[in-house]
Amino acid sequence: MSQKKTNGEVIFVGAGPGDPELITVKGSRALERADRVIYAGSLVNPELLELCRPGTPVHDSAHLTLEEVVALMYEGTSHGETIVRLHTGDPSMYGAIKEQFDHLDKQNISYSVIPGVSSVFAAAAAVKREFTLPEISQTLILTRMAGRTPVPEREALANLAKHQASMAIFLSVQDMHSVVEALLEGGYPASTPIAVISKASWPDEEILHGTLETIVEKVKLAGIRKQAQILVGDFLDPANGYARSKLYDPTFTHEYRQGSKP
Ligand code: SAH
């Protein structure tokens, strides 16, 4: 005989980068049936809360500690509630979700994760670029500068910069000067293209294009201090062009198409 489940569950949902249409269909359905929502108020677009049934209790986690967040989860799920924990972008990037999972595991509370559109991809969409241009870079590094949260030394920006892969740098625009210094130290030429995308997909999105030489001044002038992606690499503006893709090359044969070359 199956045991009736009285406990509720927690659903971690990626809210997307800002534009409320950029949540997944599955994520929006979770919000529609949520009994309670805990959302990261500093970055999640509050318009998304309009998807909830009227009267659904909502808590802005910007004012809460981890202990307070999990206390709400214990309390709600013990009454059978489905709780949506709404994180900006995709929850797996700087979402501080693992520590919540560990608490829930200890209490035997079931949870699942619905991914979201990370701001890194909203930023690429805003500048209409591809991170993986043939013969330019086939790698994307997602990282941040060390700040009040440390970064392991082996991942210091200057070390990662040595790869000269495409890079997306989160949580760092407030210290643009150090970002650029580390990138130069790592070996990027001063002419390397760099873009700063503030509030990608929001109505007040701002895009700055420059090089390692010019970007610090541009960011200062624009007054951008937070909520921005820093994209770096030749993929932004390949000085000497790039190779066309093999996949769509008429001479290239692959599983789905016979090319003109044997
Ligand atoms: N999980 C989120 C990242 C959270 S960390 C994601 O996947 O996007 C917060 C950082 O994300 C910000 O400091 C900024 O670097 C970036 N960010 C979040 N939303 C953004 C947006 N709409 N535009 C540009 N950068 C954004």
Side-chain angles (χ1 to χ4, degrees):
M1 202 178 82
S2 73
Q3 211 183 336
K4 189 167 174 278
K5 206 168 156 225
T6 52
N7 274 348
E9 56 166 344
V10 179
I11 311 176
F12 290 81
V13 175
D19 178 345
E21 292 193 355
L22 289 178
I23 192 170
T24 64
V25 174
K26 193 163 185 160
S28 74
R29 288 196 178 134
L31 276 175
E32 283 164 16
R33 65 187 177 85
D35 298 308
R36 183 178 300 277
V37 176
I38 308 171
Y39 72 106
S42 56
L43 286 169
V44 166
N45 191 334
E47 273 182 47
L48 282 169
L49 301 174
E50 291 165 20
L51 291 167
C52 302
R53 285 171 284 147
T56 305
V58 297
H59 310 263
D60 179 354
S61 61
H63 309 289
L64 303 175
T65 62
L66 167 64
E67 287 70 18
E68 289 168 331
V69 167
V70 294
L72 279 169
M73 291 173 171
Y74 298 157
E75 169 71 14
T77 54
S78 71
H79 292 103
E81 288 181 3
T82 294
I83 300 186
V84 165
R85 175 68 168 113
L86 196 56
H87 281 278
T88 177
D90 182 83
S92 70
M93 282 307 292
Y94 307 112
I97 49 175
K98 171 73 168 124
E99 58 189 24
Q100 299 174 65
F101 298 168
D102 289 347
H103 274 275
L104 296 175
D105 283 335
K106 271 194 210 133
Q107 301 288 326
N108 260 321
I109 295 169
S110 58
Y111 58 89
S112 56
V113 184
I114 299 174
V117 176
S118 172
S119 61
V120 62
F121 301 117
V127 294
K128 305 188 184 100
R129 292 298 196 281
E130 173 180 353
F131 288 119
T132 51
L133 283 182
E135 292 174 29
I136 298 290
S137 175
Q138 292 289 291
T139 303
L140 172 60
I141 295 176
L142 308 187
T143 189
R144 60 169 297 168
M145 279 282 288
R148 289 209 287 173
T149 301
V151 169
E153 181 52 35
R154 61 182 181 277
E155 297 175 9
L157 201 51
N159 283 336
L160 298 180
K162 289 182 186 144
H163 296 283
Q164 302 206 6
S166 302
M167 277 183 127
I169 307 169
F170 292 67
L171 291 159
S172 305
V173 76
Q174 70 288 348
D175 196 4
M176 232 14 236
H177 179 76
S178 307
V179 169
V180 167
E181 213 171 52
L183 294 171
L184 291 169
E185 187 193 326
Y188 276 108
S191 57
T192 304
I194 181 165
V196 169
I197 300 95
S198 153
K199 300 202 79 177
S201 86
W202 290 75
D204 50 348
E205 168 186 289
E206 248 184 290
I207 299 173
L208 304 176
H209 281 285
T211 63
L212 294 185
E213 238 163 358
T214 61
I215 199 72
V216 174
E217 198 53 31
K218 288 188 180 185
V219 168
K220 204 158 138 199
L221 277 177
I224 296 171
R225 307 264 326 140
K226 58 175 195 177
Q227 221 176 330
Q229 278 285 344
I230 305 166
L231 307 184
V232 195
D234 283 335
F235 78 94
L236 284 165
D237 185 13
N240 302 310
Y242 58 94
R244 65 172 290 169
S245 72
K246 296 264 187 252
L247 191 62
Y248 298 106
D249 183 333
T251 64
F252 189 73
T253 298
H254 58 73
E255 197 181 342
Y256 298 99
R257 189 170 53 75
Q258 177 65 50
S260 59
K261 268 195 193 152

